[in-house]
Amino acid sequence: MVTGANTGIGQGIAVALARSGADVALVARRDPAETRALVEAEGVRAHVVMADLSSIEPCEGIVAETVGTLGRLDVLVNNAGIIRRDDALDFSEADWDAVMDVNLKVLFFLSQAAARHMTGWASQSGARGKIVNIASMLTFQGGIRVPSYTASKSGVGGLTKLMANEWAANGINVNAIAPGYIATNNTAALQADETRNRQILERIPEGRWGDPADIGGAAVFLASRAADYVQGHILAVDGGWLAR
Ligand code: NAP
């Protein structure tokens, strides 16, 4: 299952998982027709779950619908996320709550619903469930003009470790990917700002924006049996940004 699968990094991850042979549940609030076609072109099943992830209300139903259709939920990728930009002096409560709800609160309660399901089959089968959270460079750094985003993504780092600690014994691995600067809707404003775009590119050792496909391989690894002994890790896929 990949949340926010209609575009950007979520689409890149869904396609990479499909290419590895996984049937994929695509959770989105808008019809993810393009992603569905790309997934099905890999010869696996795509199941679309329409849901608005700005509240926790749909979480249990999303898991139940997926299990009912595809048979089991092995891998949850918590990708859906939003960003709001304003000076910290002016930042509004509405922009705080909106970001924290999608990026942190729903990530936790959807993980909880998935983990309750995974705990059931993992304890019987010996295979392990996998939860992969999408973190950020702002899991490690402060950023500017994005206070709720930084708070939420720093929280994702902490929750990744907490969930790993609690659920490892239930047969579940919980890890995160911290993408660097990836060319998507989320970063359109930065790409369009000539000065910021130049500053960002100058700092990235690879000298380019990342592509959603750059994140897919890391997600496949963390979702696979190759990562059965990896827990609470935050894997940076950033063209070297953090190494500077
Ligand atoms: P994006 O293209 O804007 O994708 C965000 C996805 O989340 C979209 O599918 C969006 O759906 C979905 N979403 C947002 N709010 C939702 C809601 N209430 N209900 C259902 N779906 C919702 O941006 P992206 O860059 O691929 O972002 C994906 C993740 O990567 C996010 O968690 C982001 O914070 C993280 N990330 C991105 C970068 C980067 O450089 N791009 C770096 C680090 C981390 P709609 O299309 O309907 O809005």
Side-chain angles (χ1 to χ4, degrees):
M1 174 189 293
V2 182
T3 68
N6 56 305
T7 182
I9 292 172
Q11 182 180 77
I13 291 173
V15 171
L17 291 171
R19 198 161 288 161
S20 305
D23 294 333
V24 190
L26 308 169
V27 184
R29 61 181 167 178
R30 292 184 291 132
D31 181 18
E34 187 182 63
T35 309
R36 179 209 283 260
L38 291 168
V39 165
E40 289 177 342
E42 299 296 331
V44 297
R45 287 191 291 169
H47 176 69
V48 172
V49 185
M50 297 301 295
D52 181 349
L53 299 175
S54 59
S55 84
I56 70 169
E57 187 268 327
C59 289
E60 286 184 17
I62 291 169
V63 172
E65 182 181 326
T66 300
V67 173
T69 308
L70 296 178
R72 195 167 92 175
L73 175 59
D74 307 87
V75 177
L76 165 64
V77 181
N78 281 307
N79 166 78
I82 58 173
I83 193 164
R84 299 279 168 86
R85 300 176 197 277
D86 204 352
D87 294 340
L89 283 178
D90 300 323
F91 209 78
S92 70
E93 183 180 10
D95 283 345
W96 179 271
D97 287 344
V99 172
M100 294 297 274
D101 283 350
V102 177
N103 293 14
L104 194 60
K105 186 174 179 181
V106 170
L107 175 144
F108 175 72
F109 284 99
L110 186 59
S111 298
Q112 181 191 66
R116 286 174 176 160
H117 164 71
M118 290 173 179
T119 296
W121 64 254
S123 59
Q124 290 160 13
S125 69
R128 301 186 65 84
K130 299 280 170 19
I131 296 176
V132 180
N133 298 320
I134 302 304
S136 165
M137 292 297 98
L138 300 191
T139 302
F140 307 104
Q141 302 176 307
I144 46 171
R145 306 189 73 247
V146 286
S148 56
Y149 189 80
T150 299
S152 71
K153 293 298 185 177
S154 297
V156 168
L159 275 183
T160 298
K161 294 171 195 168
L162 175 133
M163 294 190 283
N165 292 337
E166 289 209 23
W167 297 338
N170 297 27
I172 301 169
N173 294 69
V174 188
N175 293 288
I177 298 168
Y181 285 80
I182 313 298
T184 67
N185 298 336
N186 173 296
T187 51
L190 289 180
Q191 295 169 68
D193 181 331
E194 210 173 300
T195 307
R196 290 287 287 129
N197 187 49
R198 180 178 43 75
Q199 290 168 339
I200 287 165
L201 287 176
E202 279 171 357
R203 200 202 134 131
I204 300 172
E206 287 209 17
R208 67 171 176 91
W209 283 79
D211 183 84
D214 288 316
I215 307 300
V220 169
F221 164 62
L222 291 173
S224 77
R225 298 198 72 168
D228 272 0
Y229 203 56
V230 182
Q231 284 286 10
H233 187 66
I234 303 166
L235 176 57
V237 182
D238 64 352
W241 174 274
L242 285 180
R244 289 290 291 271

